[in-house]
Amino acid sequence: MPQFLEKIAEVLEVPSVTPDFAFRSAPGWSSLMGFALIILLDQQYHVTLTVEDFMKLETVADLARAAGVDA
């Protein structure tokens, strides 16, 4: 999970994140960051999310579950 957290923090342009971090609350959050997270999950974890499915996710732990990463 530490590597996953680092990748998410990089996309969100923050120093670090925790599993309970509400990723949409990151400073500078934008739809481009959301798209980057969808692409990250697809390319790195081979998980294809629809925008509709992505919109149901709220925390970094939700992203980890979607990616199949143990929290």
Side-chain angles (χ1 to χ4, degrees), residues 29-64:
W29 170 258
S30 70
S31 59
L32 290 177
M33 284 182 176
F35 185 67
L37 290 172
I38 291 171
I39 296 299
L40 172 74
L41 294 181
D42 183 48
Q43 291 181 347
Q44 297 290 316
Y45 298 94
H46 310 289
V47 173
T48 302
L49 288 177
T50 65
V51 172
E52 187 176 274
D53 289 338
F54 179 75
M55 294 305 293
K56 296 175 185 173
L57 307 177
E58 297 179 9
T59 65
V60 172
D62 293 338
L63 290 171

Side-chain angles (χ1 to χ4, degrees), residues 9-14 21-37:
E10 185 177 319
V11 170
L12 297 177
E13 301 174 359
V14 295
F21 182 72
F23 58 87
R24 288 185 185 89
S25 70
W29 170 258
S30 70
S31 59
L32 290 177
M33 284 182 176
F35 185 67
L37 290 172

